[in-house]
Amino acid sequence: MESNQPLLEVEHLSTHFFTENGVVPSINDITFSIAPGEIVALVGESGSGKSVTSMSIMGLVESPGKIVNGRILFNNQDLTALSYRKYQKIRRNDISMVFQEPLTALNPVFSIGFHLVETIIVQQKVSKKKAKAIAFEWLEKVRIPNPKEVFASYPHELSGGMRQRVMIAMALSSHPRLLIADEPTTALDVTIQKQILDVMKTLSKELDTAILFITHDLGVVAEMVDRVMVMYGGEIVETSSVKQLFHTPKHPYSKGLLKSTPKIQQSDEKLDAIGGAVPSPANLPTGCKFHPRCPKAFDRCTSEHPSLINLNNENQVRCLLYES
Ligand SMILES: Nc1ncnc2c1ncn2[C@@H]1O[C@H](COP(=O)(O)OP(=O)(O)OP(=O)(O)O)[C@@H](O)[C@H]1O
Ligand SMILES: [Mg+2]
């Protein structure tokens, strides 16, 4: 059965925080979609709004944060209109998430086996015995070499990489349609990162689970994803296939990000970081939010806010240089 129906459609999403010191517009007018089984990366520097985007999709934005505009369609159903109970059901069955630091998501007083078995019982409504069998299957699927030992271990007894494998097993055991992975490998060393990404990608293909992969490191996504969305100052500034982004980045910010990604540049080339810092969302520049750091900025960039321009089917850019 062929279907062009997207799995997830985020439309004009804005999430703001209403703090004592004023409104913080963390993300603004975010629009994108993910097809079933597709692997998409959301890339941007710290503070650009990646986690606020993922928490908004999960329905987990806490006060003083609030979705102030937009819709999040999952299988054509608007998540922003769901009751807490119905959202819980979606989080249990259809959309899973893994975070950067699994230790905070695991309870230190319970064994890994307990975590897995409880999760599987809640999700799949099976007996304890059956849940245990499924748990072992999953420990093998995420290529944990000593499943029996790991099952009996407590979270602090495992390495970061092993803990993250356990989290991936817990997240995928419900066969979700979408996995949101928010910097799942940032805390790990490069070899372990690669192994974990490989496990995620293999399992996502096997289960036909789409992945929204969040990272500040473009180098990590090169082999992993189909498509990349670049975020800056709470907005998407470029969307592109991974190949196109690496060969012909369009937005000056994407170009800067690529230059400062050590893993994909020639080893003898100088690391060329983007000057300046990400603006605080409480204090965003007028016009194009990137203009104070942009080597290509011209007078209009200081006052005119560029819209997202469609260059072709798979490539969009938010930059006045590309106006026809
Ligand atoms: N609870 C909150 N209260 C006020 N502002 C918040 C809150 N949570 C996030 N923000 C603001 O939203 C902005 C975006 O935050 P977010 O966590 O999405 O960034 P990020 O892209 O995930 O960064 P990192 O790579 O460091 O994880 C931050 O700069 C912060 O100022
Ligand atoms: Mg984050």
Side-chain angles (χ1 to χ4, degrees), residues 257-275:
L257 261 189
L258 273 166
K259 277 194 188 159
S260 57
T261 303
K263 272 166 234 153
I264 51 167
Q265 62 173 19
Q266 312 294 359
S267 53
D268 54 349
E269 213 176 305
K270 197 172 128 274
L271 231 170
D272 186 3
I274 309 166

Side-chain angles (χ1 to χ4, degrees), residues 124-139:
Q124 305 184 34
K125 315 244 182 319
V126 290
S127 70
K128 201 164 175 180
K129 191 170 165 217
K130 175 85 178 151
K132 199 171 164 185
I134 298 173
F136 273 101
E137 268 171 38
W138 274 98
L139 290 174

Side-chain angles (χ1 to χ4, degrees), residues 16-24 63-65 282:
H16 297 174
F17 288 85
F18 295 84
T19 72
E20 284 175 7
N21 302 319
V23 181
V24 181
S63 175

Side-chain angles (χ1 to χ4, degrees), residues 86-301:
K86 288 205 170 130
Y87 224 132
Q88 272 295 68
K89 209 171 155 206
I90 297 257
R91 283 191 288 260
R92 198 175 296 143
N93 301 321
D94 304 307
I95 309 181
S96 289
M97 188 158 176
V98 286
F99 299 90
Q100 178 174 344
E101 186 29 81
L103 255 195
T104 56
L106 295 165
N107 189 328
V109 305
F110 294 121
S111 70
I112 296 300
F114 181 89
H115 280 93
L116 274 164
V117 166
E118 282 303 297
T119 306
I120 292 163
I121 288 176
V122 170
Q123 284 166 347
Q124 305 184 34
K125 315 244 182 319
V126 290
S127 70
K128 201 164 175 180
K129 191 170 165 217
K130 175 85 178 151
K132 199 171 164 185
I134 298 173
F136 273 101
E137 268 171 38
W138 274 98
L139 290 174
E140 273 164 32
K141 276 192 204 259
V142 295
R143 295 185 222 147
I144 284 181
N146 46 346
K148 274 209 173 108
E149 241 173 76
V150 167
F151 190 90
S153 311
Y154 286 81
H156 67 273
E157 295 175 317
L158 299 182
S159 68
M162 283 299 144
R163 278 199 290 267
Q164 202 54 288
R165 284 169 199 260
V166 169
M167 293 310 296
I168 292 167
M170 280 168 62
L172 291 179
S173 61
S174 61
H175 295 208
R177 301 288 85 232
L178 175 66
L179 175 70
I180 300 179
D182 194 346
E183 312 242 14
T185 60
T186 305
L188 306 171
D189 76 52
V190 177
T191 333
I192 309 288
Q193 276 194 25
K194 240 183 125 2
Q195 291 168 2
I196 300 233
L197 295 177
D198 195 43
V199 163
M200 281 178 68
K201 183 162 183 169
T202 307
L203 289 175
S204 102
K205 294 286 172 221
E206 204 178 299
L207 301 166
D208 198 30
T209 295
I211 303 182
L212 176 61
F213 188 87
I214 294 175
T215 178
H216 61 265
D217 185 352
L218 259 179
V220 164
V221 305
E223 293 162 51
M224 162 96 182
V225 306
D226 307 314
R227 209 149 53 83
V228 184
M229 308 185 290
V230 181
M231 243 184 130
Y232 187 82
E235 295 179 330
I236 289 178
V237 297
E238 179 160 358
T239 65
S240 173
S241 70
V242 76
K243 204 168 151 205
Q244 204 172 116
L245 187 76
F246 279 75
H247 290 179
T248 50
K250 300 293 189 305
H251 198 285
Y253 177 62
S254 311
K255 290 180 184 172
L257 261 189
L258 273 166
K259 277 194 188 159
S260 57
T261 303
K263 272 166 234 153
I264 51 167
Q265 62 173 19
Q266 312 294 359
S267 53
D268 54 349
E269 213 176 305
K270 197 172 128 274
L271 231 170
D272 186 3
I274 309 166
V278 184
S280 153
N283 202 0
L284 288 170
T286 56
C288 169
K289 294 177 171 57
F290 187 58
H291 86 258
R293 297 171 78 189
C294 182
K296 291 266 164 56
F298 56 103
D299 51 358
R300 280 173 57 210
C301 301

Side-chain angles (χ1 to χ4, degrees), residues 13-34:
L13 182 70
S14 300
T15 302
H16 297 174
F17 288 85
F18 295 84
T19 72
E20 284 175 7
N21 302 319
V23 181
V24 181
S26 295
I27 58 169
N28 289 292
D29 201 16
I30 300 286
T31 295
F32 66 87
S33 65
I34 299 181

